[in-house]
Amino acid sequence: MRFESDFLVIGGGIAGLWFAIQAAQYGTVTVLAKKDARESSTNYAQGGIAAVSSKEDSFQEHIQDTMIAGAGLCNEDVVRSVISEGPPRVEALVRLGVEFTTRGNAQMDEFDLGLEGGHSKRRILHAADFTGREIIDKLFGIACENQQIQFRDHHIAIDLLIHPRDRTIAPRKKICGGAYVLDSREKEVHTFVSPTTVLATGGAGKVYLYTSNPDIATRDGIAMAFRAGARIANMEFIQFHPTCLYHPKAKSFLISEAVRGEGGIPRVKDNTPFMERYHPKGCLAPRDIVARAIDNELKKRGDECVYLDITHRDPEFIRSRFPNIHQQCLSLGIDITREAMPVVPAAHYTCGGVIVDASGQTDIQNLYAVGEVACTGLHGANRLASNSLLEALVFAQRASDASVRKMGERRDDAPSLPDWTSGNAVDSDESIVVAHNWDEVRRLMSNYVGIFRSNKRLERAKRRIDALAGEIHQYYWDFLVTNDLIELRNLVLVADLIITSAMMRKESRGLHYNINYPVTDDAMWRRDTIQWRGYG
Ligand SMILES: Cc1cc2nc3c(=O)[nH]c(=O)nc-3n(C[C@H](O)[C@H](O)[C@H](O)COP(=O)(O)OP(=O)(O)OC[C@H]3O[C@@H](n4cnc5c(N)ncnc54)[C@H](O)[C@@H]3O)c2cc1C
């Protein structure tokens, strides 16, 4: 079937919902979510949203903190503009009913402001430790009541509708007219046509075996944009959280860095602490150093996890300071007042993505990218904590403004686009192939393209990914598409983009560390790694 709307938003996290609510003032909006409508990384955001909100703080300090974290690759103009748009965006959230934790009256200077690694001032607005859920609750509620917005959950976008499809034509001369979408419950592919398409598909954590991200994070948006011809930047910069619970039943559960802040000690299997060997601050070393140290210990010893031990603190303190972590671990049979938590570093945030301009516009006409899928220039080589929700809001607002401005001129050049055909594809009788390849991609990315990289590991990973990509490509054309197959096709492509960017960058910087090039080389490499499919 064919569906039409003025705006097609692929993704229902903070970026997609914000865009949808704004654009709905001017036209009809379809919002796609590939699983449950509320399942997104946004929903799990704990810490909060960074914005200058107190008299003790200043834009200049927030800018400086962001630039330092970004290790020389932030775009200063973008950093300045995003940070100065923080307060109005937060005010708009509050006007829509989002309740941040306060210390008294709900006035701007009365918010309870959190402090996080890399921030020189308290500036993290939060709703206890479930900020993302509070934001999604409010935005989702508003969007659901809006007659102009139609949600389609369990609808996974497969590919963008691009006109002309000829690969010899430069991306900026191409027009996006919507997307092919699989209704995964009805097992039917539909054509969603729209003069404005917005990628708001979130992150790529699932490319790795251990991740803090939910299952939806397979970076479909990057893969679709790349296949359509758009440029992709800085894919080597994957942020790893040092401590994700290692337990077969604890999918993606983060152990907050505050545990180390309150005295938690990472130990190897025989109980020996190791952080003192890696950094003068020992257990309180920055996030990336701890993640690197844990990864190194695991690789050296062949162990599956290390242990985060806070048992030396008073049990009552542990229960009251970390009620959620205590409860979650207890439900899995781990009493953290008496035993250490098994943890591993986990892929947490993707700094790179689809290159966009200041309005969220990609290289392809009528195609926008907002939120974690985009590379705006804000994060550079490393994201400052809690800047991502801010970036998503700012760019979703700008993309909505820009696409609304273009509404008049768009309809005349609406391309005629063919519907989906399945060709000779048949139902797969070999689902094991998909399951096996999923597992292999994630394992090889964790082992060879994780926190510590080397030329040899990257070359090995590249050879294996090329072989897997060939197999999966063939499988994709032979069999009818399913949710898992669509995700696997995207996952292997995104893995390839990460490996290739990592091989291009012959230095270590920010989140990318290659033991063969341990030093930062500003003369050669103070620049983005950019990939595109090529044309001409
Ligand atoms: C555990 C955790 C804690 C975090 N804590 C913080 C924090 O405290 N502060 C902060 O700033 N950031 C935090 N982050 C990062 C932040 O949450 C994300 O960067 C941000 O929420 C991304 O928002 P988004 O709208 O771009 O994507 P998401 O919220 O991930 O939404 C993606 C949407 O796209 C849909 N989708 C994906 N692919 C397709 C497809 N092919 N077809 C249809 N729909 C599709 C999904 O169904 C989903 O609706 C955290 C992340 C995690 C995982």
Side-chain angles (χ1 to χ4, degrees), residues 118-270:
H119 289 273
S120 55
K121 288 284 163 62
R122 288 193 169 270
R123 63 171 73 102
I124 318 297
L125 292 113
H126 61 101
D129 61 354
F130 45 80
T131 311
R133 202 170 71 208
E134 166 68 11
I135 293 174
I136 287 291
D137 277 353
K138 295 290 154 51
L139 297 187
F140 191 68
I142 290 165
C144 283
E145 281 174 12
N146 191 320
Q147 301 290 319
Q148 294 274 79
I149 301 176
Q150 190 177 38
F151 278 96
R152 300 262 183 179
D153 59 1
H154 296 274
H155 276 62
I156 176 167
I158 306 169
D159 261 322
L160 298 166
L161 291 164
I162 300 293
H163 177 85
R165 296 174 79 168
D166 187 343
R167 277 178 64 178
T168 61
I169 292 172
R172 66 183 174 283
K173 293 196 176 145
K174 293 186 173 189
I175 298 170
C176 179
Y180 293 121
V181 179
L182 172 71
D183 174 342
S184 55
R185 285 195 287 217
E186 297 297 324
K187 299 189 174 28
E188 278 180 44
V189 177
H190 303 299
T191 308
F192 281 76
V193 180
S194 178
T196 295
T197 303
V198 183
L199 293 170
T201 48
K206 294 302 278 189
V207 176
Y208 289 88
L209 202 52
Y210 303 113
T211 175
S212 66
N213 293 187
D215 285 349
I216 52 96
T218 50
R219 267 288 160 118
D220 299 351
I222 295 210
M224 287 189 277
F226 181 79
R227 283 194 293 269
R231 285 170 309 151
I232 312 293
N234 290 349
M235 291 298 288
E236 67 276 39
F237 299 120
I238 306 287
Q239 189 171 64
F240 286 82
H241 194 286
T243 51
C244 197
L245 193 62
Y246 179 73
H247 190 283
K249 289 189 183 152
K251 217 158 115 184
S252 319
F253 186 66
L254 268 197
I255 304 295
S256 162
E257 291 202 66
V259 174
R260 274 187 301 117
E262 299 293 353
I265 303 169
R267 299 180 190 275
V268 289
K269 203 158 50 180
D270 67 6

Side-chain angles (χ1 to χ4, degrees), residues 11-12 14-15 34 40-42 47-48 155 157 202 220 349 372 386 388-389:
I14 186 171
K34 70 174 167 181
S40 62
S41 288
T42 307
H155 276 62
D220 299 351
Y349 186 83
E372 197 172 332
S386 289
S388 35
L389 293 176

Side-chain angles (χ1 to χ4, degrees), residues 41-79:
S41 288
T42 307
N43 211 21
Y44 298 91
Q46 299 171 352
I49 176 164
V52 174
S53 324
S54 86
K55 292 188 189 80
E56 286 77 49
D57 197 6
S58 68
F59 288 144
Q60 196 46 45
E61 285 163 291
H62 191 177
I63 290 165
Q64 201 176 338
D65 294 343
T66 303
M67 304 279 292
I68 290 171
L73 287 195
C74 297
N75 177 326
E76 192 169 345
D77 291 340
V78 172
V79 175

